[in-house]
Amino acid sequence: MTKAIKLLTALPPPQRERLMALAREVFFPEDMRIFEAGGTADRFWVIRSGAVSLTQQVTSQQRVTVATLGAGDLLGWSWLFPPYRWDFGGEAFSTVRAYEFDAAAVLRLCEEDRQLGMILVRSVAEILAHRLETTRGKLMEQYALKRRSGL
């Protein structure tokens, strides 16, 4: 399994400082919906404290939590890939403090600083690979449990 990485610690200090110059501190109260699947992905966050549940709508009445993110985790990656729509929803599981980044500003910075852009894209790709592996493992466990119970 790939190792979980944290976006800000993956960046070398000069690139991290340039990115952090674009950060804005935000706060989300417990149970607040931060974004919805299908909505415009025009920003992302790095969680400072608290927890966020990533959710998938499975029926009109039911959401399933697919991951829980905490301090240091990247929240939102859909801003990096067309069509720039959220693939999941996000909800504050507890009170959350985070750094918020405007996607357009970060993408402009990546154009200006190609090294930062490459490191950022690679870091997001590593984060996604780790989350995919984790999700796959959870699905395999659920499948095995259902088979054993005869469902």
Side-chain angles (χ1 to χ4, degrees), residues 14-34:
Q15 282 75 27
R16 183 173 46 245
E17 288 172 22
R18 291 195 74 197
L19 180 65
M20 288 304 295
L22 301 176
R24 180 173 83 95
E25 292 187 31
V26 295
F27 163 85
F28 302 109
E30 183 176 348
D31 297 329
M32 180 180 171
R33 292 296 294 171
I34 300 169

Side-chain angles (χ1 to χ4, degrees), residues 35-41 56 78 83-89:
F35 55 91
E36 293 289 347
T40 302
Q56 183 68 56
S78 299
Y84 310 109
R85 299 274 173 209
W86 298 119
D87 287 314
F88 300 98

Side-chain angles (χ1 to χ4, degrees), residues 95-116:
T95 300
V96 173
R97 296 191 186 293
Y99 294 117
E100 181 177 85
F101 297 88
D102 176 83
V106 171
L107 291 170
R108 280 192 300 276
L109 179 60
C110 289
E111 287 294 321
E112 294 168 12
D113 184 340
R114 298 289 179 155
Q115 183 181 14
L116 170 62

Side-chain angles (χ1 to χ4, degrees), residues 28 46-52 69-72 94-99:
F28 302 109
V46 173
I47 300 169
R48 294 178 54 218
S49 65
V52 174
L69 307 177
S94 64
T95 300
V96 173
R97 296 191 186 293
Y99 294 117

